[in-house]
Amino acid sequence: MNDHAEHADLVTKSVEPIPAPHLAAEIATQPDDWAAAAAIAAAHRDVLPQPGERVAAIGCGTSLFMARAFASRREAAGQGLTDAWPAGQPPTGREYDRYLVICRSGTTTEVIEAMRGLPARVPRTVICSSPGTPVLELGDAILVDQVDERSVVQTRFATTTSAILRWHLGEDLTPVIAQARAVLAEDAATALGAVRYADQISFVGMGFAAALAEEAGLKLREACQSWTEAYLATEYRHGPISIAAPGRAVWAFGPLLPGFAEEVAATGAHLEHRAIDPMADLVRVHRLCLLRAADLGLDPDHPRSLSRSVVLDS
């Protein structure tokens, strides 16, 4: 055997197949998870926010963005005043009829401390996917452990929580589920080719789509260290558009504002937009995370400097 052949043989023997990230499997279950969320919402209707109640939704990171999306959706449905607050800075001096807490891990220090500080007389509901964790003892628990995740990066827990809340608001998510299935059936490399190598992406949206735009930016920062930003679409023209340029992208969730496409085109940036529900569009971003992480040789299950739960020293 010559030196070249021997080297090739050693390389062949030494290379271990790279396992598919848990994130890929977790992304793929989302349409089924959203369909199952209808029964979860129905089973817990009595502990979820009731029409007319003044509600504060609380969370950290991704859960905060889901809280913001719910607040926007609930107020748009005319079901009552709904605020969204980060657990690290819970509301004070305001009267609410119910608190809704979202926490995947059930162990986040800021969430636990916030719940312990809430007025005891006010009902609180907590949505969590981790059995036997402290937050479940601090409110009326909705445990959705079937959508728990091994990846640090949240996908299906967050979107299923949103689905539960949207079903509870009276929305029919059947068309949204169909859109998500269609997204997952696409060849991701082809469907996302225009944004796969963009050196910067700005996400925009209005209403609840703005909260999902923030979540989209966070997913790419976590999974593949991408430079992303997120803005209310109406605010994008008030400064952020100045970073748009050839080789960069603007991804719009939900309906486009009048003139928005033309303004982005004038910068030379790519406009990514599809006329589907923002929650289904978020699945496209999840798939982009996998593509970009693979391109960079990153492990999207274990992002740099992050862990599943932020537990602070007492």
Side-chain angles (χ1 to χ4, degrees):
M1 182 180 294
N2 60 41
D3 289 345
H4 177 75
E6 183 177 2
H7 175 72
D9 186 57
L10 287 172
V11 169
T12 301
K13 291 179 179 178
S14 64
V15 172
E16 295 291 334
I18 300 174
H22 297 300
L23 186 63
E26 292 157 1
I27 290 169
T29 71
Q30 289 179 103
D32 289 343
D33 298 331
W34 302 353
I40 298 171
H44 295 90
R45 64 168 62 91
D46 292 341
V47 299
L48 286 167
Q50 304 300 302
E53 288 184 333
R54 294 169 58 92
V55 175
I58 296 172
C60 292
T62 288
S63 294
L64 174 60
F65 298 146
M66 296 306 105
R68 288 177 178 168
F70 170 64
S72 177
R73 210 70 181 165
R74 185 171 186 263
E75 289 200 346
Q79 294 203 17
L81 182 147
T82 316
D83 293 329
W85 294 88
Q89 190 175 17
T92 58
R94 296 194 181 194
E95 293 293 327
Y96 295 103
D97 302 310
R98 184 179 302 272
Y99 295 99
L100 174 69
V101 180
I102 304 170
C103 182
R104 175 182 67 167
S105 71
T107 57
T108 301
T109 300
E110 290 145 316
V111 172
I112 294 170
E113 290 181 350
M115 292 186 74
R116 287 175 175 164
L118 296 176
R121 67 183 184 281
V122 180
R124 76 278 301 273
T125 301
V126 57
I127 303 177
C128 177
S129 64
S130 302
T133 52
V135 299
L136 297 173
E137 301 174 0
L138 298 174
D140 294 314
I142 301 176
L143 177 64
V144 285
D145 53 351
Q146 66 272 33
V147 295
D148 201 13
E149 297 150 332
R150 296 180 67 180
S151 174
V152 168
V153 175
Q154 288 193 49
T155 51
R156 68 183 181 188
F157 168 72
T159 60
T160 302
T161 295
S162 184
I164 291 168
L165 296 171
R166 291 180 69 179
W167 283 111
H168 177 67
L169 291 175
E171 296 187 47
D172 179 4
L173 297 189
T174 304
V176 185
I177 292 166
Q179 291 170 358
R181 293 193 196 283
V183 165
L184 290 168
E186 295 174 337
D187 176 71
T190 301
L192 298 167
V195 289
R196 182 173 182 176
Y197 303 108
D199 62 31
Q200 190 276 336
I201 304 175
S202 293
F203 292 94
V204 300
M206 297 295 292
F208 97 109
L212 296 190
E214 290 185 285
E215 169 63 2
L218 178 63
K219 288 292 86 99
L220 283 165
R221 289 193 293 274
E222 290 177 331
C224 41
Q225 302 169 19
S226 296
W227 174 19
T228 61
E229 301 181 10
Y231 301 94
L232 198 66
T234 49
E235 287 298 303
Y236 182 70
R237 292 174 284 209
H238 294 275
I241 195 170
S242 62
I243 63 169
R248 298 177 179 178
V250 180
W251 190 318
F253 281 15
L256 292 174
L257 297 174
F260 190 84
E262 292 77 11
E263 291 170 340
V264 173
T267 71
H270 168 74
L271 175 62
E272 185 72 16
H273 178 256
R274 187 177 291 189
I276 59 177
D277 187 278
M279 204 159 80
D281 213 9
L282 184 59
V283 178
R284 300 180 66 226
V285 176
H286 293 162
R287 301 192 82 198
L288 180 61
C289 289
L290 293 172
L291 285 175
R292 289 173 71 109
D295 291 339
L296 296 168
L298 298 173
D299 177 1
D301 288 338
H302 301 96
R304 182 175 62 186
S305 304
L306 293 179
S307 59
R308 176 179 165 87
S309 178
V310 177
V311 179
L312 306 174
D313 293 335
S314 58

